[in-house]
Amino acid sequence: MTAVIGIDFGTESARAVVVDTADGRVLGSGVSVYRHAVIDERLPSTGATLGAEWALQHPGDWLEAIDASVRAAMASAGSSSADIVGIGIDFTACTVLPVTADGTPLMQQAALAGQPHAWPKLWKHHASQPQATRVTDVAAARGETWLPRYGGRISSEWMLPKALQILEEAPAVFAEADLIVEGGDWVVWQLTGAFARNACAAGYKGLWHKGDGYPSDAYLQALHPGLAGFYTGKGGGQAVVAPGGRVGTLTPAWAARLGLAPTTAVGAALIDAHAGVLGSGATTPGALMLILGTSTCHLLLAEREHLVPGIAGVVEDGIVAGLFAYEAGQAAVGDSFAWFVDALASADVQAEAARRQVSVHDVLTERASALRPGESGLVALDWWNGNRSTLVDAELSGLLVGATLATRPEHIYRALVESTAFGTRVIADALRDGGVPVTRIVAGGGLTRNRMLMQIYADVLGLDLEVAGASQASALGAAMLGAVAAGRAAGGHATIEDAAAAMAPAPTERYHCDPAAHARYDTLYRLYGELYETFGRRSTLMHQLRALR
Amino acid sequence: MTAVIGIDFGTESARAVVVDTADGRVLGSGVSVYRHAVIDERLPSTGATLGAEWALQHPGDWLEAIDASVRAAMASAGSSSADIVGIGIDFTACTVLPVTADGTPLMQQAALAGQPHAWPKLWKHHASQPQATRVTDVAAARGETWLPRYGGRISSEWMLPKALQILEEAPAVFAEADLIVEGGDWVVWQLTGAFARNACAAGYKGLWHKGDGYPSDAYLQALHPGLAGFYTGKGGGQAVVAPGGRVGTLTPAWAARLGLAPTTAVGAALIDAHAGVLGSGATTPGALMLILGTSTCHLLLAEREHLVPGIAGVVEDGIVAGLFAYEAGQAAVGDSFAWFVDALASADVQAEAARRQVSVHDVLTERASALRPGESGLVALDWWNGNRSTLVDAELSGLLVGATLATRPEHIYRALVESTAFGTRVIADALRDGGVPVTRIVAGGGLTRNRMLMQIYADVLGLDLEVAGASQASALGAAMLGAVAAGRAAGGHATIEDAAAAMAPAPTERYHCDPAAHARYDTLYRLYGELYETFGRRSTLMHQLRALR
């Protein structure tokens, strides 16, 4: 049997899986929690207090996690090292760190250990919002052609705002850095001794385009003179490798440390959510992948590039080499249900949950399941944490309309669930209107366990909904990257599509769209659309409300 | 000492007070709960099941309540019968009953005791909604000039829809009735042997106008041929007596039964809320009286008649003879706060209330009091039970906008309170825009105990807010009617204004408008106004949502 290892680097921990390349069977798995977790209060080195919206990580945690999670996975698999032909990884993004030319993180230099800007900035470090605003504004003023590819707005989470923050707030750190790199690329570099940028993160978070390359130097100079040459130096300059590409093989040291052969191939990294698409088998054009968790990430492959207004990113080679990957998002999904339970679940609902020893979500879902579409008389705008797609506006807020003295908690709970389904339908409609076909819906993530939610999504979207079979889809997708990096001759696969066809499990469940419910939801969706236009585009009321806080 | 008796007939009980005519001091009071309460399920006589939205009363309960409450009040006052010079009453409206020419309720006839239409219809009997719709539609089609006086819509609670329901559903009862009368007028008739219609109920609920009289026979014929001559017969035809007018003196039988002199004057009745204006001393033009309870009733006196769009009624002699009384309303005020506590008060709020042995309202109010205006980031439309003024649209519903993952229960609670204050400001602004001055605000009702709410109203309205001093304002107002009916020579008063000046207590408290808070609320009120226009006038979204239920 030939096997590969996938390592999924999340926000709090890393998970490794050992997977049979022939059929995708998970032979073993292991998890390692990061020793320093998310560093958002004090620097471990000096105890220095971090500012608001800061979030850092320790790169040593990542290396420890490789060691621990892979060893645990191997042990639980019971496979011998000879079986493993490839390793793939996925990583949160954009998690970025400044390093020297040999890959040493600057925070490891004694002189810089107490400088927060020398540490890796985690994806959810949002303190570079002022820089992000300028990145967008200068691009908009100059009519940069790459800006519309990102829905017209650059996020504070991405590479350039974070690099600009380092330059402005810690110019010495910026000067000392030979490279500013993605965490995923840095881990692959450590494993192989070779550095390459992965096309997925470069495209989605680094403003790179396969045809046009990076933003121009003229733009960079306009943004900040100190950024001149950024993309031929610190922030670019190297090969960009498509998913499935091989960056190298394990260094002797890492081969020894993990007990694997030095011939083990290591693939280019992928962003964690995007790896989930591979693990879920949603690798055919037209399959819209929904990763339903606290927020929702929407990913879709297509054969052509279109500029779709309000869609956050389209990247060639972003998930599968040769295809265009579209990304969109909803900022609060599970988060808004959790908010409702936390802030507003009434005593009787709480008491019933306690008595029956089920969750408050279960009680509300059970009651809400008994309602017909529209019966609550409510419709909501799912903007409790702003709107990512298609409005790209973090200042928008939640709205509920239709309440009466007869409105019960389960009515509101269902309206919140429905509102997130409507938000997804807006995204699907925007893609279709923009010329990108949407013909399948594949769902993954924790919320797929909620059967009412799944059925509502099928009914609202008017398509059957497949629940992805993989329980650890991102780690399995990472393993596929390892399998393709190893190649068919070594017992892996020739392409991502081949790997997915062989290794992705069949859907565990399929929810059929009920035509009668769909018709009722068409009416409700029209009303949702009226609110969407009114508060998202026509009126500035939500912005004015926020300004008053 | 000269005293008078006021009797306040409510929905569940009647309260009598014995009051010193010189200074309004309440010398004694007594309450009598109606034996049959609200009859809305089964007829007491036969057990026949009533339809949806039916609500009846038993006229015998009213007479029993006079006896019991007056005796109790006299006993607690310890006054001798010789002191009492007048009796006034206030009554719910429009509570109406069919009677014979001598005042006998038809439900007392053995043949009709099992016929629900022979019983008094309580004010909140809403089963005549189909008739009310036709009353409005036919008037609108004919361009009846009285329709705009009532905001363009006639309520199912009023006299003509209820009479028309009797005619259509029980023509034999309609034929048998010599008169269809207000409960308040019927009680005065029983006490005095004389029948007169009171101007307040006739004006607000009976479509009567001091100058123009009742709607024309041509209109009635267009509505239903069987109504021909209604206003010269069963539904009108008699003297209309202004507030303070004397209908007669106690019959010998009632004088004996109550232990009072047969010379005791009895005044024309007033609607209960309107009597509260007298008891609160808000009898000067420009004083807007807010009666804040489950819903809010707004009453205002002015020297001139204006047709104010969206204001539900304007009646000359409606509260004070010679002045025009304007009425408006908000359908859910305390009700919407109670809804929130009942449906959405979270376990931690409930637990804190239980631990501290205070109400959930107290906990939420305490937390909400700490917020600055606008700090919640929320604004709501207070339409949980539709909008009475200025939109007269029961199909509208509640709206909340501005929610985020940081929104807490007290934020919403405060937004609900603020929304009702904004709703009152819309009414005050509509009155001013219509040429009716609003220069004082006087508040009464149970919600005046909530200091945060009072301060918010003062800050939103931009005027100081006086809390009426009378704890039983309606009963005290009724007593003033008795004092004026008795007249100055007998130790009473010459006019309502004189009676109020002498007998209404000073405000218990005065809330001063905070200019800084007022300025912030101006901004929020503008946003509320945008929502008000959007959902109340421009969009049919709320109606469509309701149609989907």
Side-chain angles (χ1 to χ4, degrees):
Chain A
M1 188 199 318
T2 308
V4 284
I5 291 173
I7 315 176
D8 168 39
F9 287 87
T11 301
E12 303 280 352
S13 63
R15 168 184 299 269
V17 290
V18 178
V19 179
D20 187 330
T21 52
D23 58 9
R25 203 155 39 95
V26 175
L27 305 170
S29 72
V31 174
S32 170
V33 175
Y34 304 145
R35 183 196 302 236
H36 299 89
V38 174
I39 301 165
D40 52 8
E41 294 187 348
R42 296 176 179 283
L43 218 50
S45 50
T46 60
T49 303
L50 298 174
E53 308 280 354
W54 274 69
L56 305 178
Q57 281 194 332
H58 194 307
D61 291 350
W62 305 333
L63 302 183
E64 273 184 24
I66 297 175
D67 203 335
S69 67
V70 169
R71 285 175 173 283
M74 296 282 289
S76 81
S79 18
S80 87
S81 66
D83 294 322
I84 306 293
V85 295
I87 294 180
I89 76 144
D90 70 79
F91 212 93
T92 62
C94 174
T95 296
V96 0
L97 64 162
V99 298
T100 59
D102 66 359
T104 307
L106 294 192
M107 48 71 71
Q108 290 182 3
Q109 299 184 0
L112 293 175
Q115 165 53 265
H117 278 294
W119 289 63
K121 291 184 165 59
L122 184 59
W123 65 276
K124 66 179 178 180
H125 171 96
H126 290 133
S128 42
Q129 183 57 52
Q131 288 77 19
T133 302
R134 267 181 295 131
V135 167
T136 300
D137 291 348
V138 172
R142 291 175 46 89
E144 295 289 338
T145 55
W146 47 264
L147 188 60
R149 279 208 309 275
Y150 298 102
R153 194 165 305 192
I154 302 306
S155 164
S156 65
E157 295 182 3
W158 298 0
M159 171 72 88
L160 190 56
K162 281 173 171 160
L164 181 54
Q165 193 193 6
I166 300 176
L167 169 59
E168 295 188 331
E169 298 179 7
V173 172
F174 189 82
E176 184 69 17
D178 294 312
L179 294 167
I180 296 179
V181 302
E182 285 279 350
D185 294 334
W186 184 82
V187 164
V188 170
W189 189 358
Q190 300 308 300
L191 289 173
T192 62
F195 175 59
R197 297 190 185 267
N198 75 83
C200 180
Y204 281 109
K205 314 293 180 182
L207 309 183
W208 170 84
H209 184 268
K210 192 178 183 181
D212 301 342
Y214 290 105
S216 70
D217 219 51
Y219 165 75
L220 290 174
Q221 302 242 21
L223 182 60
H224 192 298
L227 286 173
F230 182 70
Y231 286 120
T232 51
K234 302 179 202 287
Q238 291 73 22
V240 174
V241 181
R246 175 202 292 233
V247 176
T249 52
L250 284 180
T251 62
W254 270 104
R257 188 164 167 187
L258 299 175
L260 298 174
T263 53
T264 307
V266 180
L270 208 63
I271 300 175
D272 51 356
H274 300 62
V277 175
L278 306 185
S280 302
T283 51
T284 54
L288 179 63
M289 175 87 210
L290 312 179
I291 302 163
L292 296 156
T294 53
S295 59
T296 293
C297 177
H298 311 72
L299 291 162
L300 175 76
L301 295 169
E303 285 164 348
R304 270 191 283 279
E305 183 178 24
H306 296 274
L307 288 183
V308 181
I311 299 302
V314 47
V315 174
E316 188 175 358
D317 295 352
I319 298 178
V320 171
L323 292 177
F324 293 86
Y326 291 79
E327 180 175 353
Q330 287 171 272
V333 180
D335 270 352
S336 72
F337 314 150
W339 165 82
F340 181 75
V341 164
D342 179 50
L344 299 176
S346 59
D348 82 301
V349 175
Q350 302 261 14
E352 182 178 336
R355 182 165 44 77
R356 294 172 48 197
Q357 298 193 292
V358 297
S359 76
V360 173
H361 287 285
D362 290 339
V363 172
L364 289 169
T365 297
E366 190 178 301
R367 294 188 189 178
S369 297
L371 301 168
R372 279 179 302 110
E375 185 177 346
S376 72
L378 298 170
V379 66
L381 282 175
D382 51 318
W383 301 346
W384 260 251
N385 194 17
N387 176 294
R388 203 168 288 161
S389 309
T390 62
L391 298 167
V392 202
D393 188 342
E395 310 258 285
L396 296 175
S397 51
L399 178 147
L400 181 75
V401 56
T404 73
L405 297 174
T407 297
R408 306 306 307 165
E410 58 269 26
H411 295 142
I412 299 176
Y413 192 79
R414 183 169 178 124
L416 291 177
V417 171
E418 289 171 344
S419 73
T420 66
F422 294 143
T424 289
R425 183 164 166 186
V426 166
I427 290 165
D429 285 354
L431 287 164
R432 289 196 188 102
D433 292 348
V436 184
V438 178
T439 54
R440 271 176 72 200
I441 310 279
V442 182
L447 291 180
T448 56
R449 286 192 295 272
N450 185 318
R451 302 184 61 84
M452 177 190 76
L453 182 142
M454 290 288 95
Q455 187 61 52
I456 287 172
Y457 271 62
D459 293 342
V460 166
L461 292 166
L463 284 174
D464 289 358
L465 195 83
E466 304 165 31
V467 178
S471 61
Q472 300 294 339
S474 291
L476 177 60
M480 292 178 191
L481 297 171
V484 181
R488 195 156 58 174
H493 292 282
T495 65
I496 293 280
E497 290 95 323
D498 287 354
M503 297 169 70
T508 51
E509 193 142 22
R510 186 181 292 270
Y511 290 85
H512 299 288
C513 169
D514 169 7
H518 182 57
R520 289 180 70 86
Y521 276 132
D522 272 348
T523 308
L524 270 174
Y525 178 60
R526 208 168 17 77
L527 300 181
Y528 175 89
E530 180 181 332
L531 296 171
Y532 199 97
E533 286 299 309
T534 300
F535 291 95
R537 298 205 168 93
R538 278 191 227 121
S539 167
T540 60
L541 185 141
M542 287 180 179
H543 290 99
Q544 293 182 66
L545 270 181
R546 186 168 289 254
L548 271 175
R549 274 199 220 152
Chain B
M1 186 199 320
T2 308
V4 283
I5 292 173
I7 315 176
D8 167 38
F9 288 86
T11 300
E12 305 279 352
S13 64
R15 167 184 299 268
V17 290
V18 177
V19 179
D20 187 330
T21 53
D23 59 8
R25 199 155 43 94
V26 175
L27 306 169
S29 71
V31 174
S32 170
V33 174
Y34 303 147
R35 181 198 303 238
H36 299 89
V38 174
I39 301 166
D40 52 10
E41 295 187 348
R42 295 175 180 284
L43 218 50
S45 50
T46 61
T49 303
L50 298 174
E53 307 280 355
W54 274 68
L56 305 177
Q57 280 193 333
H58 194 308
D61 291 350
W62 304 334
L63 302 184
E64 273 185 25
I66 297 175
D67 203 336
S69 67
V70 169
R71 283 174 174 284
M74 296 282 288
S76 81
S79 19
S80 86
S81 65
D83 294 322
I84 307 294
V85 296
I87 294 180
I89 75 146
D90 71 78
F91 211 93
T92 63
C94 173
T95 296
V96 358
L97 65 160
V99 298
T100 59
D102 67 357
T104 308
L106 294 191
M107 48 70 73
Q108 289 182 5
Q109 299 185 1
L112 292 176
Q115 165 53 265
H117 278 295
W119 289 63
K121 290 183 167 59
L122 184 59
W123 65 276
K124 66 179 177 178
H125 171 96
H126 290 134
S128 43
Q129 183 57 53
Q131 287 78 19
T133 302
R134 268 181 295 133
V135 167
T136 300
D137 291 348
V138 172
R142 291 174 47 89
E144 295 289 338
T145 54
W146 45 266
L147 188 60
R149 277 205 312 272
Y150 299 102
R153 195 166 304 193
I154 302 307
S155 164
S156 65
E157 294 183 3
W158 296 0
M159 171 72 90
L160 190 55
K162 281 173 169 160
L164 182 54
Q165 193 194 7
I166 300 176
L167 170 60
E168 293 187 332
E169 298 179 8
V173 172
F174 189 82
E176 184 71 15
D178 293 312
L179 293 167
I180 296 180
V181 301
E182 286 278 350
D185 294 333
W186 185 81
V187 164
V188 171
W189 189 356
Q190 299 307 300
L191 290 173
T192 62
F195 175 58
R197 296 188 187 269
N198 74 81
C200 180
Y204 282 109
K205 314 294 180 181
L207 309 183
W208 170 83
H209 184 268
K210 191 177 184 183
D212 301 342
Y214 290 103
S216 70
D217 218 50
Y219 165 75
L220 290 173
Q221 302 243 18
L223 181 60
H224 191 299
L227 286 173
F230 182 71
Y231 286 120
T232 50
K234 301 179 203 286
Q238 290 73 22
V240 174
V241 181
R246 172 202 293 233
V247 176
T249 52
L250 284 179
T251 62
W254 271 104
R257 190 164 167 187
L258 298 177
L260 297 175
T263 52
T264 307
V266 180
L270 208 62
I271 300 174
D272 49 358
H274 301 62
V277 174
L278 306 185
S280 302
T283 50
T284 53
L288 179 63
M289 173 89 210
L290 311 180
I291 303 162
L292 296 156
T294 54
S295 60
T296 293
C297 177
H298 311 72
L299 290 162
L300 174 76
L301 295 170
E303 285 165 347
R304 268 190 285 278
E305 182 177 24
H306 296 274
L307 287 184
V308 182
I311 298 303
V314 47
V315 173
E316 187 174 0
D317 294 353
I319 299 179
V320 172
L323 292 178
F324 293 85
Y326 292 79
E327 180 175 351
Q330 286 171 274
V333 180
D335 270 352
S336 72
F337 314 150
W339 165 83
F340 181 74
V341 164
D342 179 49
L344 298 176
S346 60
D348 82 300
V349 175
Q350 302 260 13
E352 182 179 337
R355 181 165 45 75
R356 295 172 49 196
Q357 297 192 292
V358 297
S359 76
V360 173
H361 287 286
D362 289 339
V363 172
L364 289 170
T365 297
E366 190 178 301
R367 294 189 189 177
S369 297
L371 300 168
R372 279 179 302 112
E375 185 177 347
S376 72
L378 298 170
V379 65
L381 282 175
D382 51 319
W383 301 346
W384 260 252
N385 194 19
N387 175 294
R388 202 167 289 162
S389 309
T390 61
L391 298 166
V392 200
D393 187 342
E395 310 257 286
L396 296 175
S397 50
L399 179 146
L400 181 75
V401 57
T404 73
L405 298 173
T407 298
R408 306 307 306 166
E410 58 269 26
H411 295 141
I412 300 177
Y413 192 79
R414 183 168 177 125
L416 291 176
V417 171
E418 290 171 343
S419 73
T420 65
F422 294 143
T424 289
R425 183 164 165 185
V426 167
I427 290 165
D429 285 354
L431 286 165
R432 289 194 188 105
D433 292 347
V436 184
V438 178
T439 53
R440 271 176 72 199
I441 310 278
V442 182
L447 292 180
T448 55
R449 285 191 295 271
N450 185 318
R451 301 185 60 84
M452 175 189 77
L453 182 142
M454 289 289 96
Q455 186 62 51
I456 287 172
Y457 272 61
D459 293 341
V460 166
L461 291 166
L463 283 174
D464 288 359
L465 195 83
E466 305 165 31
V467 178
S471 61
Q472 300 295 338
S474 291
L476 176 60
M480 291 179 192
L481 297 172
V484 181
R488 192 156 59 175
H493 292 282
T495 66
I496 294 280
E497 290 96 322
D498 287 354
M503 297 169 71
T508 51
E509 193 141 21
R510 186 180 292 268
Y511 289 85
H512 298 288
C513 169
D514 169 8
H518 182 58
R520 288 181 70 85
Y521 276 133
D522 272 348
T523 308
L524 269 174
Y525 179 60
R526 210 170 13 78
L527 301 180
Y528 175 88
E530 180 182 332
L531 296 170
Y532 199 98
E533 285 300 309
T534 300
F535 291 96
R537 298 205 168 93
R538 280 191 224 120
S539 167
T540 60
L541 186 141
M542 287 180 179
H543 290 98
Q544 292 182 66
L545 270 181
R546 187 169 287 254
L548 271 175
R549 276 200 217 152

